[in-house]
Amino acid sequence: MMIIMRMKGVVILAGAALYVVLVCSRINGERGCNVYEGEWVYDDDHHTYPLFNSTACPFIRKEFDCIKYGRSDHHYLHYRWQPNACDLPKFDGVKFMRKLKGKKIMFVGDSITLNQWQSLTCLLYTASYGSNVTHHANDLISTLTFQDYGISVTYFNSHYLVDIEMEEFGRVLKLDSLKSGEIWKGFDVLVFNTWLWWHRRGIKQPWDYIEDEGIVVEDMDRTVAFTKALMRWAKWVESDVDPYKTKVFFTGVSPAHYRGEEWNEPGVRDCSNQTRPMTGSSYPAGEPLASKILKDVLSSNTTSVHLLDITTLS
Ligand SMILES: *[C@@H]1O[C@H](CO)[C@@H](O)[C@H](O)[C@H]1NC(C)=O
Ligand SMILES: *[C@@H]1O[C@H](CO)[C@@H](O)[C@H](O)[C@H]1NC(C)=O
Ligand SMILES: *[C@@H]1O[C@H](CO)[C@@H](O)[C@H](O)[C@H]1NC(C)=O
Ligand SMILES: *[C@@H]1O[C@H](CO)[C@@H](O)[C@H](O)[C@H]1NC(C)=O
């Protein structure tokens, strides 16, 4: 629960990062500012923060509605990300929707991505107050459509990006299969992520076998499996996504927040008491291995994927 609250920061950031890249792309390149290097600062401008009121966002899932479920401090709603080398514009939902008029945006990934989707949709909902917003959902896909701008923002639930298929002997995680790609293809903006599920075991592991290069095994090195799946995904991006039509983003790796040693609080086993972001621009435990792997695959196997490099923001 608190992990989700902690990730709230990531969320707003992803919305803000998308905003910067899609709406204000000049800011990113012009001055060579790396917007991912910086720190969270408390902003006491009460007209601007919080950026949305979760109670007034009708489709927010209960696990993300911290205030409704009793979080008493509101400090965390007033942070803004301050890059070291430049300033970010304030998020402007109307500007976002004008710029992306008629576009279809899809988020594909695990709960971190769900969180981002949720946050962006609440930001846009707040900005489009009074206009016609429709919501369609099933187990796999959830779409908000902002009718006045013809913009849809979809969440596609996928823990691994590659497929899990039911065979007669059990559920198989197929490192070389990406059938859902057929559904993702038609979108104008795609935002992916995957990582935290690769190390799940026991009842939290939603598959029984792994298929790799046509061979079915009970298990394998999870980091290797993750790398192979990312390469498969990268191959799909290069062969099936038209870079002139679709902008592709990948949300970087968030540290897991289960081991206090990683943030200088040895013995702590979760982040239920963490209510303020860390200061500075680095994570004491250093960059997670998965983040390095992801950067390698993106740089050597893709040509136009933008990494939303949120590791030190989360
Ligand atoms: C948030 O929205 C709820 C429901 O619309 C409203 O009762 C509440 O006053 C709002 N809170 C703030 C801080 O605006
Ligand atoms: C909202 O948009 C949907 C789909 O375009 C339409 O069917 C519905 O009548 C609209 N509702 C309102 C209140 O305008
Ligand atoms: C959180 O902090 C309170 C007060 O310092 C302490 O009693 C509690 O054990 C802490 N909980 C965890 C999970 O660290
Ligand atoms: C990905 O990049 C690595 C390192 O450059 C290379 O060995 C591999 O063949 C590439 N894979 C694909 C599918 O392009």
Side-chain angles (χ1 to χ4, degrees), residues 268-270 272-273:
V268 172
R269 285 284 156 265
D270 58 34
S272 56
N273 272 350

Side-chain angles (χ1 to χ4, degrees), residues 237-238 243 298-299 301-305:
V237 172
E238 294 309 297
L298 292 183
S299 64
N301 296 138
T302 68
T303 49
S304 54
V305 176

Side-chain angles (χ1 to χ4, degrees), residues 50 56 68 74 79 114 162 191 198 202 218 260:
K68 182 170 177 193
H74 292 174
Y79 281 93
L114 168 63
V162 292
V191 187
W198 288 91
E218 278 204 4

